[in-house]
């Protein structure tokens, strides 16, 4: 910083001399400052030598700054996700958390912001005074644990508020102390601790109430913890969900598994109505959830209820399969083929409360944690407890996608620290499947859209950050990378995979990346999506590097990348089941009848779910996918709630008719109306109206 300031002052003095020169020749000849800060003492000299000297000093400053930034990235691996400019902004304002949290979504991935307590937000004048009185080094060195603020909760995407609490559930503030990388690590670790505590608490409360009461249970959030003797201000009380969304989904899965196993044991002991009783209770719970989702709920609560519906619909089909085959053996192949969460309660021991000096997080070991894992044939994975926003809709899982997700989980189970190639045609839901798998095992993932403009240095930094932080990395369309970026990616992954083979029993290994020694996480997995391209002439697909020779197409996966990954092929999704569940998630009671009809429509008229220009029948233009269908179905749900008196089939018909008549060419509209009339014969509506 001192060298840069000296160069800046010399440059400023030189420019002042140039401005004061009387001719262009004298200005270009150069002004060599003799006494810094006094332009009148400057005399003509060799400006080329001066500027070359300045360039050399600035290059050294740049190298030293990179070394400093890389050291900070090694201390907190999620800094690898940031550009140099963003990282320097964080380091130079490390004592002001209100500035740091602007970059929080890129660091924590699922957190949007923090809710500060007790310490008022600094004004612009105080920030300017602090930045003028503190240099970059002094503002980030922080060997003394200086208190920069306190946080009462973190807020995820979708405005999900998760208050910080101790092991007994009492709200308390998290202190932001020390250097910026230390208190950000404290926030990250405290969030994982909070998710784990919330899961244990939810497991205790679930059997004590009905499913709806448990799901909609709220807690008071004060924002600022009360000081001794302070009274509660009623206006400051906010009601927030007692359990974060990801915990509700996981606990519901656990108890669905227990219900199935209890029914199997009862049937085996001679209770012939065990399966029927299980099914009736589950159908009743589904009906209650559908009623609730059609009520006046907040967006966050609606998403939570919808996610619960998705889980219960999946287990409804699983229970039907169990009853059909009269399964009684929990070791049978059919039952073991289901991915089942396991919850092992904590064992209480008399120990003391300790404080970790590294994480600055207080850990109450007098109340030990439970053990949570997922298991199936060939799968044994520990749950990650990384916070995931409950405002994100849970991807739909059907029996067909369930098989593919199990194959993907088996590949992860045998390839932690390596790569998995997810191959399939466009529209088969590769991204949705990876999102579902990452949420199932409770780990963050970093989706990276690969383009030809992606710099090799940026790519290497992101790969290094994921490998050292334990985040999953998703390479979307790696064939679009430039040759130099592909070479860097191949070299980086080779070094990581080679070092990962030495990891045994969650131990740590180190590897040299970006001229720094980085500690690898044993949970790192790299996904690479490859799309199968069909060639219209029956030959090899053009433009897809690494396409298979011969056949009718190829995967857009470079050979140097595909050969280092374990391949998992994604089968076509069961759209009838997916659309039925999506419609029920929005409160449609007759979703099982409407889902197949909607599937026929979007296959016949792709413009139903997209905003394509006017089409002609058979033109072959337009496309759809779950990413475009989801907002379309959400809009249907909104119309259903605003017009509950309209029949569901009539509502769907009117929406489809309006889209088709606007999107199709005039000459094809009559044929579309006739198609709708045949498809919606049971609906009391005339497609030729309007």
């Amino acid at each position: 910083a001192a060298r840069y300031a000296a160069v800046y002052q010399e440059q400023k003095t030189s420019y002042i001399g140039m401005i004061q020169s009387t001719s262009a020749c004298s200005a270009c000849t150069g002004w060599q400052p003799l006494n810094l800060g006094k332009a009148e003492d400057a005399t003509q000299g060799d400006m080329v030598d001066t500027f070359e000297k300045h360039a050399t000093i600035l290059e050294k400053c740049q190298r030293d700054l990179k070394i400093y930034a890389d050291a900070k990235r090694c201390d907190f691996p999620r800094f690898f996700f940031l550009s140099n400019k963003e990282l320097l902004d964080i380091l130079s304002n490390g004592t002001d958390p209100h500035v740091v949290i602007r970059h929080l979504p890129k660091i924590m991935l699922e957190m949007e912001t923090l809710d500060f307590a007790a310490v008022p937000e600094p004004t612009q004048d105080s920030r300017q005074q602090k930045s003028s009185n503190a240099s970059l080094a002094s503002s980030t060195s922080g060997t003394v644990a200086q208190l920069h603020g306190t946080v009462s909760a973190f807020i995820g995407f979708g405005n999900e508020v998760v208050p910080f609490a101790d092991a007994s559930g009492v709200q308390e503030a998290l202190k932001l102390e020390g250097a910026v990388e230390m208190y950000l690590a404290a926030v990250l670790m405290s969030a994982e601790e909070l998710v784990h505590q919330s899961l244990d608490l939810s497991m205790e409360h679930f059997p004590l109430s009905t499913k709806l009461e448990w799901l909609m249970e709220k807690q008071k959030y004060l924002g600022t913890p009360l000081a001794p003797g302070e009274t509660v201000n009623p206006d400051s009380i906010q009601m927030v969900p007692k359990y974060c969304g990801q915990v509700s989904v996981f606990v519901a899965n656990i108890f669905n598994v227990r219900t199935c196993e209890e029914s199997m044991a009862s049937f085996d002991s001679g209770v012939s109505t065990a399966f029927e009783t299980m099914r009736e209770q589950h159908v009743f719970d589904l009906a209650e959830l559908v009623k609730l989702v059609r009520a006046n709920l907040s967006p966050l609560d609606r998403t939570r209820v919808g996610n619960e519906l998705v889980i219960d619909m999946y287990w409804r089909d699983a229970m039907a399969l169990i009853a059909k085959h009269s399964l009684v053996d929990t070791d049978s192949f059919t039952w073991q083929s289901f991915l089942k969460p396991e919850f092992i309660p904590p064992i209480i021991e008399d120990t003391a409360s300790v404080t970790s000096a590294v994480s600055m997080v207080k850990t109450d070991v007098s109340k030990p944690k439970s053990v949570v894992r997922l298991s199936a044939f060939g799968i044994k994975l520990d749950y990650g407890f990384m916070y995931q926003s409950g405002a994100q809709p849970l991807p739909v899982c059907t029996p067909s996608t369930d098989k593919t997700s199990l194959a993907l989980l088996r590949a992860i189970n045998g390839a932690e620290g390596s790569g998995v190639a997810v191959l399939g045609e466009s529209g088969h839901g590769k991204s949705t499947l990876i999102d579902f798998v990452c949420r199932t095992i409770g780990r963050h993932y970093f989706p990276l859209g690969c383009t030809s403009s992606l710099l090799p240095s940026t790519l290497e930094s992101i790969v290094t950050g994921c490998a050292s932080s334990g985040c999953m990395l998703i390479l979307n369309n790696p064939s679009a990378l430039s040759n130099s970026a592909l070479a860097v990616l191949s070299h980086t992954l080779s070094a990581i995979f080679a070092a990962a083979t030495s990891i045994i029993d969650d131990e740590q290994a180190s590897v040299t990346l970006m001229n720094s020694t980085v500690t690898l996480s044993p949970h790192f997995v790299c996904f690479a999506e490859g799309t199968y391209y069909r060639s219209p002439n029956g030959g090899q697909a053009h433009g897809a590097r690494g396409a298979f020779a011969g056949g009718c197409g190829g995967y857009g996966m470079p050979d140097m990348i595909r050969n280092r990954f374990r391949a998992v092929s994604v089968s076509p999704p069961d759209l009838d089941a997916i659309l039925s569940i999506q419609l029920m998630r929005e409160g449609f009671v007759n979703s099982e009848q409407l889902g197949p009809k909607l599937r026929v429509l979007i296959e016949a008229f792709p413009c139903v779910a997209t905003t394509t220009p006017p089409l002609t029948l058979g033109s072959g233009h337009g496309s759809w996918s779950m990413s475009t269908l989801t907002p379309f179905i959400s809009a249907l749900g909104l119309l259903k709630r605003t017009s509950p008196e309209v029949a569901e089939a009539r509502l769907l018909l009117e929406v489809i008719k309006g889209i088709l008549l606007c999107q199709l060419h005039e000459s094809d509209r009559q044929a579309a109306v006739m198609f709708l009339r045949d498809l919606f014969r049971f609906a009391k509506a005339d497609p030729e109206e309007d």
Side-chain angles (χ1 to χ4, degrees):
R3 291 197 303 268
Y4 178 83
V7 171
Y8 173 79
Q9 186 62 41
E10 290 186 16
Q11 290 278 352
K12 181 179 179 181
T13 304
S14 298
Y15 294 150
I16 292 176
M18 294 175 65
I19 293 174
Q20 294 175 350
S21 62
T22 57
S23 66
C25 292
S26 60
C28 293
T29 301
W31 287 81
Q32 179 68 32
L34 297 180
N35 189 353
L36 299 181
K38 296 182 179 181
E40 60 273 12
D41 292 338
T43 183
Q44 289 182 336
D46 191 352
M47 182 170 289
V48 175
D49 292 342
T50 301
F51 282 178
E52 286 180 350
K53 174 186 174 183
H54 291 170
T56 301
I57 296 176
L58 291 177
E59 288 177 1
K60 190 175 188 308
C61 290
Q62 185 72 18
R63 289 194 301 268
D64 293 344
L65 191 60
K66 184 179 183 303
I67 294 173
Y68 174 76
D70 289 344
K72 292 296 181 180
R73 288 187 170 106
C74 292
D75 292 338
F76 187 57
R78 297 201 175 210
F79 280 161
F80 281 105
F81 300 153
L82 303 174
S83 65
N84 288 332
K85 181 179 179 180
E86 293 168 335
L87 179 56
L88 291 177
D89 185 38
I90 288 177
L91 296 178
S92 59
N93 294 282
T95 56
D96 189 353
H98 293 85
V99 176
V100 174
I101 62 171
R102 295 183 303 192
H103 307 281
L104 198 67
K106 289 187 177 181
I107 300 173
M108 305 301 182
L109 300 182
E110 294 275 352
M111 290 186 197
E112 190 170 9
T113 186
L114 300 176
D115 194 6
F116 289 92
V119 179
E121 182 174 356
T123 62
Q124 185 67 24
D125 294 338
S126 64
R127 288 175 182 169
Q128 292 177 353
Q129 182 179 4
K130 183 183 296 184
S131 61
S132 62
N133 295 335
S135 63
L136 176 65
S138 62
S139 65
T140 57
S141 57
T143 55
V144 179
Q146 179 184 1
L147 178 64
H148 308 301
T150 57
V151 176
S152 58
F154 63 86
I155 302 175
F157 291 113
N159 200 32
E160 182 182 36
V161 179
V162 184
F164 285 106
D166 59 16
S168 61
V170 178
Q171 180 182 331
E172 64 176 13
L174 175 69
K175 296 181 180 180
L176 303 183
E177 299 175 313
V180 59
E181 63 272 14
M182 293 188 66
Y183 67 70
L184 285 178
V187 171
L188 184 63
M189 295 184 65
S190 297
E192 295 181 10
E193 293 283 338
L194 195 59
V195 171
H196 206 151
Q197 293 176 12
S198 180
L199 191 144
D200 290 346
L201 183 65
S202 183
M203 288 294 299
E204 295 177 4
H205 289 189
F206 186 93
L208 306 179
S209 59
T210 65
K211 178 176 287 188
L212 262 64
E213 292 173 346
W214 163 80
L215 182 63
M216 302 303 294
E217 190 174 1
K218 305 289 185 180
Q219 64 176 335
K220 294 181 179 179
Y221 172 57
L222 304 178
T224 302
L226 297 178
E230 186 180 0
T231 59
V232 178
N233 182 7
D235 296 334
S236 64
I237 298 177
Q238 181 182 356
M239 302 303 294
V240 299
K242 191 164 188 176
Y243 321 107
C244 51
Q246 74 183 99
V247 166
S248 300
V249 170
F250 200 84
V251 171
N253 268 320
I254 292 175
F255 279 95
N256 278 317
V257 170
R258 291 185 177 182
T259 300
C260 291
E261 292 180 343
E262 290 171 359
S263 299
M264 293 162 66
S266 297
F267 187 84
D268 189 31
S269 62
V271 182
S272 59
T273 60
F275 291 145
E276 183 66 21
T277 303
M278 173 184 67
R279 188 191 67 83
E280 290 177 355
Q281 180 62 42
H282 204 73
V283 170
F284 174 79
D285 290 341
L286 275 173
E288 293 298 310
L289 286 172
V290 172
K291 291 180 183 178
L292 183 59
V293 82
R294 297 168 70 173
N296 185 19
L297 299 175
S298 66
L300 176 60
D301 286 340
R302 191 176 307 283
T303 302
R304 290 168 59 91
V305 176
N307 290 343
E308 187 67 26
L309 265 170
V310 170
I311 294 298
D312 282 7
M313 288 285 286
Y314 170 79
W315 284 105
R316 181 201 63 176
D317 297 336
M319 292 175 182
L321 182 64
I322 293 172
K324 177 181 178 181
H325 296 285
S326 299
L327 295 179
V328 295
D329 186 7
T330 56
D331 294 329
S332 64
F333 177 82
T334 302
W335 180 244
Q336 288 298 322
S337 63
F338 288 102
L339 182 66
K340 300 176 293 298
E342 298 178 3
F343 177 83
I344 303 175
I347 301 175
I348 305 299
E349 297 178 356
D350 293 332
T351 52
S353 179
V354 298
T355 302
S356 172
V358 176
S359 62
M360 307 292 292
V361 181
K362 187 177 180 180
T363 304
D364 187 4
V365 298
S366 62
K367 188 171 183 179
K369 304 182 186 65
S370 58
V371 177
V372 182
R373 64 170 65 99
L374 297 104
S375 63
F377 271 141
I379 299 174
K380 188 71 69 172
L381 291 170
D382 292 331
Y383 190 71
F385 290 105
M386 293 183 179
Y387 169 73
Q388 297 162 338
S389 174
Q392 300 294 329
L394 187 70
V396 175
C397 185
T398 63
S400 61
T401 56
D402 189 36
K403 295 178 181 178
T404 308
S405 63
L406 285 174
L408 190 56
L409 285 168
R410 288 191 186 95
I412 294 175
N413 192 56
E416 288 196 336
S418 59
V420 179
V422 184
L423 309 176
E425 293 187 21
S426 178
H428 280 190
K430 297 183 294 295
S431 300
T432 303
L433 179 64
I434 296 175
D435 175 70
F436 172 79
V437 167
C438 293
R439 293 187 178 278
T440 299
I441 60 180
R443 295 181 189 169
H444 287 163
Y445 64 91
F446 192 101
L448 180 61
C450 299
T451 62
S452 58
S453 59
L454 184 62
L455 297 177
S457 58
T458 302
L459 179 61
E460 185 181 16
S461 178
I462 293 175
V463 174
T464 304
C466 290
S468 54
S469 65
C471 294
M472 307 287 195
L473 174 63
I474 303 176
L475 300 174
N476 190 359
N477 191 23
S479 62
L481 293 172
S482 63
N483 291 330
S484 57
L486 277 174
V488 169
L489 177 62
S490 178
H491 172 75
T492 305
L493 290 179
S494 297
I496 293 173
F497 295 166
T501 57
S502 62
I503 299 179
I504 302 176
D505 297 332
D506 289 347
E507 294 180 355
Q508 293 181 333
S510 299
V511 62
T512 301
L513 298 172
M514 301 182 66
N515 298 323
S516 301
T517 301
V518 178
T519 301
L520 296 181
S521 168
H523 305 299
F524 167 67
V525 176
C526 179
F527 297 97
E529 295 184 20
T531 302
Y532 186 79
Y533 298 94
R534 293 187 180 274
S535 175
N537 59 3
Q540 182 175 338
H542 298 287
R545 284 188 287 176
F548 295 138
C552 59
Y555 288 101
M557 183 81 65
D559 289 335
M560 67 173 64
I561 302 300
R562 189 181 70 239
N563 295 337
R564 302 181 187 277
F565 285 67
R566 302 180 62 178
V568 174
S569 180
V570 178
S571 58
D574 185 356
L575 289 179
D576 287 354
I578 291 176
L579 293 175
S580 297
I581 296 175
Q582 290 278 46
L583 287 172
M584 180 170 281
R585 180 188 230 158
E586 296 297 333
F588 283 77
V589 178
N590 299 317
S591 60
E592 293 187 352
Q593 291 78 32
L594 297 178
K597 295 185 180 297
L598 182 57
R599 188 262 307 167
V600 172
L601 282 169
I602 62 178
E603 289 181 349
F605 307 104
C607 60
V608 167
T610 58
T611 55
T612 55
L615 304 175
T616 58
L617 293 180
S619 62
H621 297 290
S623 62
W624 57 268
S625 63
M626 289 310 302
S627 60
T628 55
L629 278 175
T630 299
F632 171 72
I633 295 177
S634 298
L636 287 176
L638 179 60
L639 291 175
K640 174 64 180 175
R641 293 187 291 274
T642 55
S643 304
E645 71 282 355
V646 180
E648 294 176 351
R650 174 67 180 267
L651 178 66
L652 180 59
L653 172 61
E654 293 297 328
V655 172
I656 297 298
K657 182 183 65 176
I659 294 176
L660 288 181
L661 295 183
C662 293
Q663 297 285 62
L664 286 176
H665 194 273
E666 184 177 0
S667 60
D668 292 323
R669 291 176 183 173
Q670 184 63 30
V673 169
M674 296 177 63
F675 181 86
L676 289 177
R677 179 187 299 167
D678 291 338
L679 190 62
F680 287 90
R681 283 179 296 176
F682 65 93
K684 296 180 180 180
D686 185 4
E688 292 186 347
E689 291 180 356
D690 304 328

